[in-house]
Amino acid sequence: MCQGKMPRTVRERYEKMEEGARRDALLENFDQALGHPNQADLERLKALLQA
């Protein structure tokens, strides 16, 4: 699940959640989304548009 970049307040809300697998997954997703869109994302989009 990638929504793209999210505001820092979203991560802060996740950090306040009860510890567990769901919280960990949300935090990981947030951290990974910080770098998107990246060059690979743009290249995939370009390829899709050309298909």
Side-chain angles (χ1 to χ4, degrees):
M1 71 177 160
C2 179
Q3 301 84 9
K5 293 179 186 176
M6 295 177 274
R8 178 80 181 149
T9 55
V10 172
R11 190 177 207 294
E12 291 168 358
R13 189 172 62 230
Y14 293 162
E15 290 170 344
K16 293 177 183 176
M17 293 173 66
E18 183 177 332
E19 290 188 28
R22 176 169 166 70
R23 175 184 181 255
D24 293 346
L26 290 169
L27 288 169
E28 182 178 341
N29 182 65
F30 180 93
D31 292 342
Q32 290 178 355
L34 290 175
H36 292 273
N38 61 24
Q39 190 61 37
D41 295 331
L42 298 175
E43 291 298 325
R44 281 193 297 273
L45 175 60
K46 184 178 175 182
L48 285 171
L49 294 173
Q50 292 175 346

